[in-house]
Amino acid sequence: MDNPESGAPGADRSVRIAFGPNKALAGSTAVLAVLFLGLVLGTNDRPGRILYAAAVVVLSAIAVRDLYWNPRLIVCSDGLSVHIPGHRVELPWPGVERVVVDSRSRYGLASNTLEIDGGEQLYIFSRWSLGTDPGAVERVVRAVQPPTPS
């Protein structure tokens, strides 16, 4: 496919694909935290109030993390951009050593994670943090990543 803006057939196109937590689920988590806050304020049961308050703290932390640090991974023509709590890094393609999906099974449940080896750092993303299947993200990364020179 040609880039209509460049005017040249077969010209390179700028690619930018973002992956992050589902904003609707993160918003629902925030609403649930507010509902639990209402339970904290509306109950006279001390142990119940402590449990509800713990739920408010946990759900609020999850909602803030998923709404603020979104998207977590950006795949572009120049490389990868990783945005996780406390850390933001740009990885040019030569700095990306390996991108693989790690599949594990524990207690009868299978889980897949996307592992990005950025040299000194290893970044691991779950399905929740990417908003989609890690295998699909790996295929996108491989499609955008330029071939390595031999």
Side-chain angles (χ1 to χ4, degrees):
M1 222 176 186
D2 297 332
N3 187 351
E5 296 176 8
S6 71
D12 287 339
R13 293 171 40 173
S14 179
V15 175
R16 184 180 189 279
I17 305 166
F19 297 97
N22 185 322
K23 289 183 181 180
L25 285 176
S28 299
T29 305
V31 168
L32 198 56
V34 170
L35 291 174
F36 271 98
L37 181 61
L39 290 172
V40 168
L41 300 174
T43 187
N44 292 328
D45 179 35
R46 183 170 166 81
R49 184 174 283 169
I50 292 170
L51 289 174
Y52 294 146
V56 168
V57 170
V58 170
L59 291 171
S60 297
I62 291 170
V64 166
R65 178 198 67 191
D66 287 350
L67 290 171
Y68 185 73
W69 285 284
N70 198 344
R72 297 277 171 81
L73 177 66
I74 299 172
V75 181
C76 65
S77 304
D78 300 328
L80 302 176
S81 177
V82 177
H83 189 204
I84 56 177
H87 195 64
R88 181 178 209 134
V89 67
E90 303 292 327
L91 294 170
W93 287 118
V96 178
E97 293 182 9
R98 190 173 60 108
V99 177
V100 295
V101 172
D102 182 39
S103 299
R104 302 208 179 214
S105 181
R106 187 170 182 151
Y107 302 119
L109 298 174
S111 68
N112 295 329
T113 56
L114 180 71
E115 295 183 358
I116 299 172
D117 188 351
E120 295 180 16
Q121 284 289 119
L122 178 65
Y123 302 98
I124 301 174
F125 298 96
S126 67
R127 180 184 189 98
W128 180 276
S129 65
L130 293 171
T132 189
D133 178 48
V137 177
E138 179 195 28
R139 289 188 291 278
V140 168
V141 169
R142 295 216 184 277
V144 174
Q145 185 176 21
T148 55
S150 301

